[in-house]
Amino acid sequence: MNVQLKKTISIFAMAAGIIGMAAALYMDFSGSASTVRGPLLIAGAVLVLAGVYLLPTRKHRSIINVLFLFPLIFAFAVTVLIPFACGIFYSMTDWNGIKFNKFVGLGNYISMFKSNDYIYSFVVTFIFTVINMLAVNLVAFGLALLCTSKVKGRNFYRAAYFIPNLIGGIVLGYVWQFIFNKVMTTVIEGSTSMLTDPNLAIAAILIVSTWQYAGYIMMIYVTGLQSVPKDILEASNVDGASQITTLLKIKVPMIANTFTVCIFLTLVNSFKQFDLNLAITNGAPSRILAGKPVQATEFLALNIYNTAISKNQYALGQTKAVVFFIILAIVSLTQVSISKKKEVEM
């Protein structure tokens, strides 16, 4: 097959594929009940890919590589990029979950930042994230040191500490809710449940979150500690270095990248906390802020859920979700950048 014929077939296939896909999308948007929409869309996509594959060019190898990556790129675009773009669009409308009637511009964003419950949720989520990130990493690192020492039964300890992470957050939340409301109040006579106090309720979520997630982070620290060369540790022991000196001067600097990963994971997980928050307190109890009641333990993710699902304010909920993503992306990238610089310094 000569180059000109191959090029002609390639262009014809791409043109036919684009026309077929456009026709299928038109039938879909116009509400047509035709059963050929799906097959026509797939056939069009196949023709476009075949046309690109057959197109004679010096960069044919690069095109082949892109074609092999296309399923992954397409799935990422359909599940992440396109929904995110649609979310930004809907956040500027009066969308009710099904349709919208008019554009409101930045009206939803202005209303969001004027809302006391949203500002409070942002502040309490930030406080929870900082404390939970420190607590999980400190507990996990301590457990990792224990599980990499010469203590007997360390493999049993690894499994035991990791098991809570295997339990679903909703189930775990309801179990601990029972413990706080029934078990602890029965054991300690005359006491009230931690979940009835606004400040102690947040502490209760911190306890459960640390208990659940520390085992997972522990396994990452264990991997990092086991990667430290044994000859270096033996040399430090021969030189008379104490265990604390060995830990601070050798082990910690050599697993700096492990700290970066663990801090990133706990930061993101804490900021996105939803299931435990929903199951343990569902935002309760209430407290008074600026003369108005707010949910004392309603974190950002739960606030977004309640706005969209419970209050049926889908456009405002989508607005909060967009801002939530932007804040999380900025905080995460900043944390990784700072941690990487610390790695270089170590």
Side-chain angles (χ1 to χ4, degrees), residues 120 124 193-205 281 283-288 294-297:
Y120 176 82
V124 75
S193 172
M194 293 178 65
L195 305 183
T196 61
D197 185 281
N199 296 321
L200 293 180
I202 297 176
I205 300 175
T281 64
S286 298
R287 75 187 330 156
I288 302 300
V294 295
Q295 295 285 74
T297 62

Side-chain angles (χ1 to χ4, degrees), residues 155-168 172 211-216 218-219:
N155 290 331
F156 169 78
Y157 294 143
R158 292 181 189 180
Y161 296 143
F162 184 76
I163 285 177
N165 187 70
L166 302 178
I167 306 173
L172 196 65
W211 181 80
Q212 180 193 26
Y213 203 55
Y216 175 75
M218 174 202 70
M219 298 303 294

Side-chain angles (χ1 to χ4, degrees), residues 276-303:
L276 289 179
N277 189 196
L278 175 67
I280 296 176
T281 64
N282 196 21
S286 298
R287 75 187 330 156
I288 302 300
L289 180 67
K292 295 182 179 180
V294 295
Q295 295 285 74
T297 62
E298 187 181 62
F299 299 152
L300 275 177
L302 183 60
N303 180 267

